[in-house]
Amino acid sequence: MTLSNELISFNSRCLAIADYFSNNCSYGQFSTDKNNDTFAINSKALVSDKTRFYFELYVLVIANAIVSLFGTASNIINIIVFAKMGVSDVVNVSLLGLAVSDLISVFLVVWCSLCYGLFLLDPPGLFFDPLTFWYVTAGWPHFIFSRVTCYITAMVSIERCLCVIAPFKVKEIITPRRIKVCLVLIFTIFPSAYIPVLLVHKLAWKFDTNHNETRIMADFATNTDKVQAMSYYINDVFFPTLSIFIVMFCAIVTAKSLRRNVEWKKEKKIGQVNSSKGTESNTISSKELKVVRMLMVICTMFVMCYFPSLVLLYIRFIFPELAMYKTYHNLFISICSFVFLLEISNSSFNIVIYYIMSSKFNSTFNELFF
């Protein structure tokens, strides 16, 4: 193998992981077969190989490691605080479930950053292939629980929207017990939809031609592409898109309802409107208002962090060259680096919002840790 082919082979392996971040998984194998001159020329379209390498090193490895470590610690704290606050409140139960999902998701990214760093450095003597080993052991689990985070956020946004529209009626319908049942269903049904995909991804001792030794590597079934294609449009396109638009719709409706609620209270305060029992039934207390605003901020951050990945997903339908081993694959991996960082940031920094906007969380946190 010539020096140029070795370089292209290394670049191909570095780019393989980005296809996972694209939400368009097509892993028949992690191959290094695309060693041709056309691929080498197209790889530098708009973004050079050197620039792409810096994105990989500083974003996929360093930035992801820092954010995911912070997210792991912050979500452990969130779980402890919400457990201390009790699970007799609908909001506490929902946010506790969200913290559990976020914790699993970001903890797996720590392993991702470590393996990707080993993959770039390629130290001698490793008994496993870092890229494919992480992909099977943590790549798909992270991907699954990032989707669980989407669905729990959608559930929270629906619950708060209904609480603002008809607060007294909703309290009779949405109870902590029913929220717990919904969380159990989300944590079981949606991950179960990925079982066929997980079954076609296994680990096995295989001969690595790049290192001339036998290592633990991914062993893909012959029907991997077909299974992933069946799962892709349902689990990776339809449901995530639906959850994001549900959050956006509920946020808009909640914001308008809150504005009407605030205007009514102002009019009542200055005596322009006489309060009545029917009118009061459509308002919420100041305490509930603070909770709704806090959850509105959480949902807004969720949309801001996940919407770029949704946009990228549909842009790729219009511009198929923005993909792996295509004309703009260096640009693609650079964009995906930031998209992935935004995703894990959403699961890592909720504790800041809780501490600033929730007086109960603030006091419980200080009681436990100070």
Side-chain angles (χ1 to χ4, degrees), residues 14-276:
C14 287
L15 289 166
I17 192 67
D19 200 28
Y20 164 73
F21 299 143
S22 72
N23 297 343
N24 186 15
C25 302
S26 180
Y27 283 91
Q29 58 179 349
F30 282 82
S31 69
T32 58
D33 299 333
K34 300 175 175 60
N35 300 333
N36 54 70
D37 294 336
T38 303
F39 175 73
I41 294 172
N42 290 343
S43 69
K44 299 180 182 179
L46 295 182
V47 177
S48 66
D49 291 340
K50 182 178 180 180
T51 302
R52 187 213 68 233
F53 175 79
Y54 285 134
F55 274 102
E56 290 178 321
L57 178 62
Y58 291 112
V59 180
L60 288 179
V61 178
I62 298 176
N64 279 354
I66 295 173
V67 174
S68 59
L69 284 171
F70 175 81
T72 301
S74 65
N75 281 293
I76 291 175
I77 294 173
N78 288 341
I79 292 172
I80 295 173
V81 173
F82 285 124
K84 176 68 174 179
M85 291 168 64
V87 291
S88 59
D89 181 76
V90 169
V91 176
N92 288 352
V93 175
S94 301
L95 296 183
L96 179 60
L98 185 63
V100 172
S101 175
D102 286 339
L103 173 61
I104 299 173
S105 177
V106 296
F107 177 74
L108 293 170
V109 178
V110 178
W111 179 233
C112 163
S113 300
L114 176 61
C115 286
Y116 205 92
L118 291 174
F119 174 72
L120 294 179
L121 295 174
D122 197 17
L126 282 179
F127 68 93
F128 64 95
D129 178 63
L131 182 64
T132 60
F133 189 84
W134 170 81
Y135 173 70
V136 175
T137 59
W140 275 107
H142 159 77
F143 187 72
I144 292 170
F145 281 98
S146 69
R147 292 294 177 252
V148 171
T149 292
C150 293
Y151 307 141
I152 294 177
T153 305
M155 182 194 72
V156 171
S157 64
I158 293 173
E159 186 272 327
R160 284 296 99 181
C161 180
L162 294 175
C163 181
V164 172
I165 295 174
F168 292 97
K169 294 181 181 179
V170 170
K171 288 181 179 179
E172 299 175 358
I173 301 173
I174 302 179
T175 63
R177 182 179 179 182
R178 290 174 180 173
I179 290 295
K180 293 174 186 177
V181 172
C182 290
L183 287 173
V184 171
L185 293 176
I186 291 174
F187 273 97
T188 54
I189 293 177
F190 289 105
S192 298
Y194 286 92
I195 290 178
V197 178
L198 297 176
L199 291 176
V200 297
H201 296 82
K202 299 179 181 179
L203 292 172
W205 287 95
K206 299 176 63 177
F207 184 76
D208 188 350
T209 55
N210 293 315
H211 295 80
N212 197 31
E213 61 181 350
T214 301
R215 302 201 298 177
I216 299 177
M217 303 176 65
D219 185 19
F220 300 97
T222 56
N223 61 337
T224 299
D225 289 337
K226 294 181 180 180
V227 173
Q228 290 184 160
M230 293 175 61
S231 171
Y232 172 68
Y233 290 102
I234 298 176
N235 297 323
D236 305 337
V237 177
F238 176 73
F239 282 119
T241 302
L242 179 63
S243 63
I244 290 176
F245 277 99
I246 286 175
V247 173
M248 293 173 63
F249 175 78
C250 291
I252 294 172
V253 173
T254 303
K256 291 183 178 180
S257 299
L258 285 177
R259 181 177 297 179
R260 288 196 298 266
N261 186 276
V262 171
E263 290 175 354
W264 181 88
K265 287 186 175 181
K266 288 182 179 179
E267 291 176 354
K268 179 183 177 182
K269 186 175 181 180
I270 62 178
Q272 293 180 353
V273 177
N274 293 323
S275 62
S276 63

